[in-house]
Amino acid sequence: MTHILVTGGAGFIGSAVTTALLGAGYDVSVLDSFHPAAHSTPPKVPTGVALLHRADLRDRAAVQGALRGVDAVVHQAALVGLGAGPDDMPEYVGCNDLGTAVLLTAMAASGIRRLVLASSMVVYGEGAYRCGRHGSVRPAPRDPADLTGGRFEPPCPRCGDALTSELVDEDSPVDPRSVYAATKVAQEHLCAVWAREHGAAVAALRYHNVYGPGMPRDTLYSGVAALFRSALEQGQAPQVYEDGGQLRDFVHVGDVAAANVAALDAGPGFRAYNVASGRPTTVGAMAGALADAFGGPAPQVTGRFRLGDVRHVVAAPDRAAAELGFRATVAPATGLREFASAPLRG
């Protein structure tokens, strides 16, 4: 296995993955559509790439051509984030699910049987919770009336008591709560079927909140770290939704790239892995650390909310450590200091 195709290899995470693969001695080609949601200006493809295929994954002939001479695929291409609203649904499903189906079909025809899939922690919906009276429970979808009233913590669905957030592992049930999340679940299901039917190996990497140099600026499709960083660059206070107490795991893009390299050696069949720092923090604390490193202004807690967001989701990273030999090395405090002055992409 020497030649890897990276789909979405000109994007934020994809370019970091491409660079890491090149550094590990692989020959790397890139397929990227330069989708305007990810690239408001022409992207720079990492130096050393063997071939660049500018094409849409839904173009079967172009994908088949890009797979010539390829031994494995690292599939990063996707439309990410919550987007603008319900009107985005066809584009999300087309880019993420139809594109993945075309890729898998072309891989089967080309005899390629190894795939690393960029999945996401959004497949879990809410994370894991425990009630003092009822043990492990799954909260119901968040009630807009509760959110409007500032009641952000999900109650026990059986007794209404307060819950304790716990680590979510890869065996937790999927429960997508946005269009984007639903498309990531569908990607995983398509890949699992393909792996079974073709005796292939698929490692689905469930990224938690990725941040780092080269993040796209604030758009409807940006992650929260990029939104905060863009606000600071413009001299504005980061706008923290809800009360800032949402628990997340912020993982550096360099660690995510390293996880992709490690996942090329995953065993046969379909297997999911959390990719996280293992050092959770609240969104409010992250915004404060980023603002301090940047030199202000301090974040503003707004009380606003987005119905597609979840309250807490924090990962157990043990499976990736045990089976892939991967453990994140960049502490969020260190990575956020670097990110505070790192360039963003247009």
Side-chain angles (χ1 to χ4, degrees):
M1 181 173 59
T2 59
H3 193 162
I4 313 299
L5 176 68
V6 181
T7 72
F12 163 50
I13 297 175
S15 60
V17 171
T18 297
T19 299
L21 289 167
L22 290 166
Y26 291 101
D27 295 327
V28 183
S29 294
V30 165
L31 187 149
D32 200 296
S33 69
F34 295 7
H35 196 292
H39 307 283
S40 58
T41 60
K44 295 179 181 179
V45 178
T47 302
V49 166
L51 290 169
L52 169 63
H53 306 273
R54 183 170 180 178
D56 193 302
L57 267 180
R58 292 166 285 190
D59 182 340
R60 185 174 299 192
V63 173
Q64 198 73 60
L67 290 173
R68 291 193 187 99
V70 166
D71 301 298
V73 175
V74 177
H75 182 25
Q76 306 292 317
L79 193 59
V80 303
L82 290 181
D87 290 346
D88 278 345
M89 187 180 293
E91 187 67 2
Y92 270 99
V93 173
C95 287
N96 297 358
D97 299 335
L98 178 56
T100 297
V102 171
L103 174 65
L104 294 173
T105 300
M107 288 178 67
S110 300
I112 301 168
R113 297 293 184 266
R114 183 166 294 275
L115 175 71
V116 178
L117 170 69
S119 188
S120 173
M121 57 88 172
V122 297
V123 301
Y124 298 120
E126 288 286 349
Y129 290 85
R130 180 165 294 276
C131 172
R133 288 202 283 173
H134 296 108
S136 178
V137 296
R138 299 286 298 172
R142 303 173 86 188
D143 186 338
D146 285 341
L147 298 174
T148 301
R151 298 180 295 276
F152 301 118
E153 293 290 341
C156 175
R158 297 177 63 183
C159 67
D161 284 359
L163 299 175
T164 301
S165 175
E166 298 186 319
L167 296 179
V168 60
D169 65 23
E170 293 88 348
D171 293 326
S172 298
V174 296
D175 185 17
R177 300 197 177 186
S178 68
V179 170
Y180 170 58
T183 66
K184 299 310 283 186
V185 171
Q187 279 187 315
E188 288 198 8
H189 287 171
L190 290 169
C191 289
V193 169
W194 178 81
R196 287 193 299 271
E197 290 182 348
H198 296 284
V202 177
L205 304 184
R206 291 174 176 170
Y207 302 158
H208 285 249
N209 291 73
V210 186
Y211 72 97
M215 281 193 89
R217 297 183 184 277
D218 52 338
T219 74
L220 293 168
Y221 306 92
S222 294
V224 67
L227 295 175
F228 293 164
R229 174 69 173 73
S230 296
L232 290 165
E233 196 171 76
Q234 296 165 25
Q236 301 170 0
Q239 301 295 293
V240 178
Y241 278 23
E242 302 185 19
D243 60 0
Q246 311 94 301
L247 278 170
R248 296 290 188 272
D249 188 307
F250 293 92
V251 59
H252 193 273
V253 69
D255 283 325
V256 171
N260 276 269
V261 176
L264 283 170
D265 293 325
F270 177 91
R271 190 75 161 156
Y273 298 93
N274 286 329
V275 175
S277 74
R279 306 176 195 186
T281 187
T282 65
V283 172
M286 185 278 285
L290 191 59
D292 287 346
F294 189 87
Q300 292 180 351
V301 177
T302 67
R304 295 199 299 270
F305 62 89
R306 297 186 301 183
L307 194 57
D309 282 336
V310 297
R311 182 59 176 175
H312 304 304
V313 55
V314 177
D318 304 315
R319 180 183 289 181
E323 297 183 12
L324 303 179
F326 166 76
R327 206 173 273 282
T329 61
V330 181
T334 302
L336 288 170
R337 281 197 301 272
E338 171 206 48
F339 181 55
S341 59
L344 302 176
R345 66 170 60 209

